[in-house]
Amino acid sequence: MPADRDLRIVLAEDSVLLRDGLVGLLTRFGHEVVAAVGDADALLAAVAEHAPDVVVTDVRMPPGFQEEGLHAAVKLRQERPGLPVLVLSQYVQRAYAAELLDSGDGTGVGYLLKDRVGQVEEFVDALRRVAAGGTVVDPEVVRQLLRRRRDPLARLSPREREVLALMAEGRSNGAIAKALVVSEAAVGKHIGSILTKLDLPPAEDTHRRVLAVLAYLRG
């Protein structure tokens, strides 16, 4: 799917205020929210009815306010291979992130904290990347995963850690260079060093590179 295409979205969020706010935000950017629902069962029904381009869902929803939204997202990706899903969570839940990222073939999936919605352009850009088949993970999730793998990552410089976090967000070399105000050549050198230090195979494709990093961090 072209990254600049206006998207048809099914949104699942139990908070009426946040749900309405997200509908307004996405509409303002030219997208169409074909259904906005408040629980996991309604999410499954809405996707079956509308066949959207992408799903945006909260993790915790009625009736149990546990991981109903996540389970619905994983089920949708099992039943509809290739359906892009962006999950929003109030807190970092490493198990939730791993289960989602392991669903389907790992493409077209994202896990963001709800705070990221406040950074409007970044949120909409992440949604577009997921809809286009990319993999997007919140930087805070990456940081918490990094802490679990402290010893191997001790070899990375502070700048390499910054680059690694941006890689896991699914950003291209050019986008990383812009964010860090350095040249693309410098970013390329940092990435080469990171992959070498973490014993990861080099990969030109951004998506495969992200999956390799996430597989390492989850290990």
Side-chain angles (χ1 to χ4, degrees), residues 11 51 82 100 105 110 122-123 125 130 132 165 189 194 205 209 211:
L11 170 66
L100 176 71
D105 61 359
E122 288 188 19
F123 169 68
D125 178 63
V130 168
K189 290 181 180 178
I194 291 166
D205 178 76
R209 189 175 71 189
L211 290 184

Side-chain angles (χ1 to χ4, degrees), residues 7 31 66 129 146:
L7 303 170
H31 303 302
Q66 296 298 315
R129 281 185 278 143
L146 288 176

Side-chain angles (χ1 to χ4, degrees), residues 58-215:
D58 189 9
V59 168
R60 297 183 176 184
M61 289 194 295
F65 293 96
Q66 296 298 315
E67 61 271 11
E68 290 87 349
L70 174 77
H71 289 165
V74 172
K75 181 177 181 180
L76 286 169
R77 284 174 60 76
Q78 290 172 342
E79 295 177 347
R80 298 168 180 266
L83 174 66
V85 173
L86 176 59
V87 167
L88 302 177
S89 178
Q90 188 69 44
Y91 309 102
V92 176
Q93 298 283 0
R94 291 192 295 264
Y96 293 166
E99 185 175 356
L100 176 71
L101 293 166
D102 288 337
S103 66
D105 61 359
T107 63
V109 62
Y111 183 94
L112 294 180
L113 296 183
K114 288 186 176 180
D115 288 347
R116 193 69 48 189
V117 176
Q119 301 173 30
V120 174
E121 292 187 359
E122 288 188 19
F123 169 68
V124 175
D125 178 63
L127 179 62
R128 284 188 179 278
R129 281 185 278 143
V130 168
T135 305
V136 177
V137 182
D138 196 280
E140 183 58 32
V141 176
V142 175
R143 280 191 284 271
Q144 293 214 14
L145 291 170
L146 288 176
R147 286 197 285 270
R148 296 176 62 203
R149 301 296 304 266
R150 187 173 300 277
D151 291 341
L153 292 164
R155 291 176 290 172
L156 300 186
S157 70
R159 176 62 85 183
E160 288 169 347
R161 288 171 182 260
E162 290 179 308
V163 172
L164 177 62
L166 292 169
M167 287 170 62
E169 287 186 64
R171 297 185 183 255
S172 66
N173 286 19
I176 294 173
K178 183 177 180 180
L180 299 180
V181 195
V182 297
S183 69
E184 285 194 46
V187 170
K189 290 181 180 178
H190 285 312
I191 291 174
S193 177
I194 291 166
L195 296 177
T196 298
K197 290 179 179 179
L198 300 185
D199 298 321
L200 291 170
E204 295 298 326
D205 178 76
T206 298
H207 172 71
R208 288 187 290 119
R209 189 175 71 189
V210 171
L211 290 184
V213 170
L214 291 174

